[in-house]
Amino acid sequence: MDLSNLSAVFGNSAFTVVVFIIALSIIVTVHEYGHYIVGKWCGIKADVFSLGFGKPLVQRTAKDGTVWQIAAIPLGGYVKFAGDANAASAPDAHAVDGMAPDEARHTMPGAPLWARTLTVAAGPVFNFIFSALVFAGLSLSTGQVKDTLEIAQVKPVPFEVGLQSGDTIVAIGGVAVPELSQMGTFIETLPRTAQMDYTVERGGAQVVVTGPHPFPVIVGGITPKSAARDARLDVGDVITTIDGVTLNSFYELRDAVAAAEGREMTLTVWRDGETFDSTMTARRRDIPADDGGFETRWLIGIYGSTLYTQATDPVGIGEALVHGVEGVWSVITGSLSGLYNMVERNISACNLTGAVGMAGAVSTMASQGIDSYISVIAFLSTAIGLINLFPIPVLDGGHLVFYAYEAVRGKPLPDRAVGIMMGLGLVVVLFFMSMGLAADFLCK
């Protein structure tokens, strides 16, 4: 499904706003429902479940007394439990003054410590579970590539291609195809020629056909805030030359971009049978390195794609769930590594992303198809869940720190200390939001 068609209907800016609000609403709903349902299981009554902030647009009161509403500002949401001082769930120890014990038990400040802890932790945990299930679902829908190099589909390119759907490639350039784990290195070491021989199994026999390099310069994906996005390249475009030099493989594009070192380049692009020139300038980017750190490289912001899509085998539910958990863990470790390296000044603070940059990223992924859009929602769900666990007052992690103090000391923090820390926490959150927005507008 091509969501980019909606861009023609709404316009680019409206498309970005619509897909971002939908994505954020899904993530917020999952997060807040985690708080709500676990709080309910723990006997804590919710007064309000709000999707959005500000003036309520739609309201409905459930049988249990909870007001469910959609508010005017669709940039978040909250659950206000009985006894909370405000929508940020600031604790109010005096909220239960004069209440009967049974009545106080159903408020947030009057509930046992274990119930409050589970309720607060549930929001981020539900984000992680949701992301894992989405990643698992994508794994189930796409399957995993077969051990043999069987072609499911040959992608459209402006070159002569003798390969066909259903072919199984057994050798390229006279060299036997290795096992799947070695394919990346194998393809990179192939001659970077315009045409090469492919030995394939077809119809029960082996035949030799010719075709382009298996990793031509096909745009497989576009990154946000990149030269390629600004130049409006599309997934499926084929870059045939750079500054007049013919490109036979993606590796030649990579090397040419690095050699240009930020100089303006002219690329010839083939799209749906027509060619056009596109001028762009690569940007310096900090990307993960093999050793777990980061390296800075000149990039135009595209992912490469092989000449073909590989046939897949179905994935079992258990294996898909493992892939889902691995996806969540990858986002968590990558995010923490990036934050650590920014603090250590190993990478630029431009790697921070604010609301505007996040909206642009969601829009970019949505324009590349429904699978990409769903993937970025799962990615952001994990990232937002992780951020909420940071030990900053006003965030879930800050509340958990308060509860840890209460568990150790046997009594909650004094109201005045809580008020001061909540104020400081809000300042910290606003500071990082400002840094993110600054990066959105000042960093290229």
Side-chain angles (χ1 to χ4, degrees):
M1 181 179 179
D2 188 2
L3 294 178
S4 62
N5 292 335
L6 297 176
S7 179
V9 177
F10 294 110
N12 290 327
S13 297
F15 174 74
T16 296
V17 171
V18 169
V19 295
F20 178 61
I21 288 177
I22 291 172
L24 186 61
S25 297
I26 291 171
I27 294 167
V28 169
T29 299
V30 169
H31 182 94
E32 299 302 334
Y33 187 76
H35 289 312
Y36 165 78
I37 193 63
V38 172
K40 185 175 182 177
W41 291 341
C42 293
I44 303 173
K45 182 181 180 299
D47 290 336
V48 180
F49 186 112
S50 180
L51 181 59
F53 298 105
K55 181 180 179 179
L57 301 177
V58 179
Q59 284 186 326
R60 184 182 69 86
T61 303
K63 292 181 179 180
D64 62 1
T66 301
V67 176
W68 295 74
Q69 67 182 33
I70 298 176
I73 306 174
L75 296 177
Y78 62 89
V79 175
K80 183 178 182 299
F81 288 101
D84 282 344
N86 50 45
S89 295
D92 182 2
H94 299 292
V96 297
D97 290 352
M99 283 188 181
D102 287 347
E103 184 182 2
R105 169 62 180 81
H106 297 295
T107 68
M108 182 63 96
L113 180 60
W114 64 265
R116 285 177 278 144
T117 301
L118 290 177
T119 300
V120 169
V125 170
F126 266 54
N127 281 129
F128 298 151
I129 293 173
F130 169 76
S131 297
L133 291 176
V134 170
F135 287 138
L138 290 171
S139 180
L140 284 171
S141 67
T142 59
Q144 62 181 6
V145 296
K146 293 186 174 183
D147 292 333
T148 56
L149 187 48
E150 181 180 337
I151 297 175
Q153 183 179 12
V154 179
K155 298 175 182 176
V157 291
F159 316 118
E160 180 183 347
V161 182
L163 297 169
Q164 300 177 5
S165 298
D167 287 347
T168 298
I169 303 175
V170 295
I172 304 176
V175 182
V177 170
E179 61 184 24
L180 188 62
S181 62
Q182 302 298 319
M183 277 299 298
T185 302
F186 171 72
I187 291 177
E188 188 168 3
T189 58
L190 290 172
R192 298 171 184 179
T193 55
Q195 291 282 305
M196 56 184 58
D197 291 336
Y198 289 81
T199 304
V200 301
E201 290 183 355
R202 178 186 298 171
Q206 285 196 357
V207 297
V208 177
V209 299
T210 59
H213 193 281
F215 199 31
V217 193
I218 300 175
V219 178
I222 301 171
T223 62
K225 295 173 65 174
S226 65
R229 174 173 168 79
D230 291 349
R232 299 197 177 281
L233 292 188
D234 286 339
V235 173
D237 286 349
V238 181
I239 301 172
T240 57
T241 72
I242 182 168
D243 292 332
V245 179
T246 299
L247 298 172
N248 295 322
S249 74
F250 192 87
Y251 306 111
E252 291 169 308
L253 174 68
R254 179 194 64 188
D255 295 343
V257 170
E261 295 184 333
R263 173 178 53 81
E264 186 177 80
M265 303 167 293
T266 300
L267 284 64
T268 302
V269 182
W270 179 90
R271 178 187 297 169
D272 298 329
E274 299 181 356
T275 61
F276 60 91
D277 287 340
S278 180
T279 302
M280 64 184 72
T281 303
R283 297 166 187 174
R284 293 179 68 87
R285 290 289 184 262
D286 299 309
I287 62 173
D290 293 336
D291 61 2
F294 285 79
E295 60 179 325
T296 303
R297 288 168 49 185
W298 290 101
L299 301 173
I300 61 173
I302 66 172
Y303 299 109
S305 173
T306 53
L307 175 66
Y308 42 77
T309 56
Q310 289 183 239
T312 60
D313 287 322
V315 173
I317 293 178
E319 189 173 3
L321 289 174
V322 171
H323 291 166
V325 173
E326 289 175 344
V328 170
W329 183 246
S330 177
V331 174
I332 291 173
T333 55
S335 300
L336 292 177
S337 175
L339 182 61
Y340 171 80
N341 279 278
M342 272 188 278
V343 172
E344 289 291 310
R345 297 187 178 182
N346 297 325
I347 62 175
S348 168
C350 285
N351 287 278
L352 279 175
T353 301
V356 174
M358 195 182 300
V362 172
S363 175
T364 298
M365 298 301 286
S367 68
Q368 296 174 33
I370 189 66
D371 284 356
S372 296
Y373 184 46
I374 292 172
S375 293
V376 78
I377 291 175
F379 176 94
L380 290 176
S381 178
T382 299
I384 289 174
L386 175 63
I387 290 171
N388 268 278
L389 285 177
F390 287 175
I392 301 172
V394 310
L395 298 181
D396 295 331
H399 290 288
L400 293 175
V401 170
F402 293 158
Y403 296 156
Y405 173 91
E406 183 178 343
V408 172
R409 294 296 303 272
K411 59 181 180 180
L413 275 169
D415 289 348
R416 186 169 183 275
V418 170
I420 292 172
M421 294 183 71
M422 292 289 281
L424 290 175
L426 181 60
V427 170
V428 171
V429 170
L430 291 175
F431 171 74
F432 280 109
M433 289 177 63
S434 300
M435 286 188 63
L437 286 173
D440 291 342
F441 289 104
L442 300 177
C443 299
K444 279 285 191 177

